[in-house]
Amino acid sequence: MARSVMGKMPTYKKFCQQNGYITKNGQLRFTAEICYRFISRNLDFEESHTGLEDVEIETPLCKMQGKKVDENRYAFVPILRAGTGMLDGIINLVPNAKIGHVGMYRDEQTFKPNVYYFKVPKDIDKREVLILDPMLATGGSGIDTIELLKEKGAKNIKFLCIIAAPEGIKAMQEKHPDVKIYTTSVDEKLNENAYIVPGLGDAGDRIFGTK
């Protein structure tokens, strides 16, 4: 099931505009980092406690027992290139996590992804894996990435995005019902070119200013 944390901020566009992350010409600036910080703080670390470890904290008054995220349990896998724009925000929260990369490009005729690069940590099968991709449109890139990770033995996988289309959510849930989806917004639909509507256009171009 897709888990939307959208209810905790007005809208992703309004939020980013108010905080100066959309410029006058419409280019995104660090939008992904901000949204990922937001999403990351809502991840269900507490649901199973498997990602937490006990730690002793010393306050000005006394010592106490608390919990912190076990950073060595996690791996982040951004889908190139747009996913890299989100990496800094989540690394700030879990700085010692391992990083993998999946390189894909979209066939503009079929709208299907083509893989040109795939490299992940050797112990990926022992880690909780968070896939980073700003847009869940058709779901093709995410589905292929999940399959590549599962071939390497990964079992605990989550998909983090900024905007999702109902079609992409449906496709991913049908193929991989065990993978939780986190998004800040579920938009209306896909158009005839398989772009999310209203969406934000091509995420890579918008983040890196290449159009």
Side-chain angles (χ1 to χ4, degrees), residues 123-155:
D123 61 350
I124 197 76
D125 59 316
K126 299 179 177 64
R127 294 176 178 269
E128 181 169 335
V129 184
L130 278 65
I131 300 170
L132 313 180
D133 195 7
M135 304 292 185
L136 175 55
T138 65
S141 297
I143 289 168
D144 286 359
T145 299
I146 293 166
E147 289 171 356
L148 289 169
L149 289 167
K150 287 184 174 180
E151 287 174 5
K152 291 290 185 179
K155 302 177 185 66

Side-chain angles (χ1 to χ4, degrees), residues 67-85:
K67 291 186 179 294
K68 71 172 186 177
V69 174
D70 181 1
E71 298 179 21
N72 295 317
R73 294 183 58 92
Y74 293 93
F76 303 140
V77 180
I79 298 177
L80 303 178
R81 66 182 165 142
T84 59

